[in-house]
Amino acid sequence: NTAGAVAGAVAGGAVGNRMSRGARNGIEITVELESGRTIAVTQEGSVNEFRAGDRVQVASDGSTSRVSR
């Protein structure tokens, strides 16, 4: 796990094509890690879950990352 802060606005949108069945709402979260590196993570969720400046945890298995508060 890596700690960081939400660096900018959280963008809302659809993960996948809205025309396809099973389309899910998602968000893209830009996180500034404690190391100074900036990453963007796209995951299911709502724009109300995160705000700029929120302290977050980033979990990654090397290919998939997830942001949580």
Side-chain angles (χ1 to χ4, degrees):
N1 288 345
T2 305
V6 176
V10 177
V15 175
N17 184 339
R18 282 195 178 273
M19 299 302 290
S20 67
R21 292 182 204 205
R24 299 177 294 215
N25 288 329
I27 53 177
E28 181 178 90
I29 308 146
T30 304
V31 179
E32 183 178 340
L33 303 176
E34 289 179 338
S35 67
R37 196 171 127 218
T38 301
I39 63 169
V41 177
T42 303
Q43 66 186 40
E44 280 189 62
S46 162
V47 294
N48 299 321
E49 290 181 56
F50 301 97
R51 286 189 267 187
D54 282 352
R55 296 286 299 166
V56 295
Q57 292 289 319
V58 180
S60 180
D61 65 7
S63 63
T64 303
S65 297
R66 182 97 181 144
V67 178
S68 62
R69 290 184 348 134

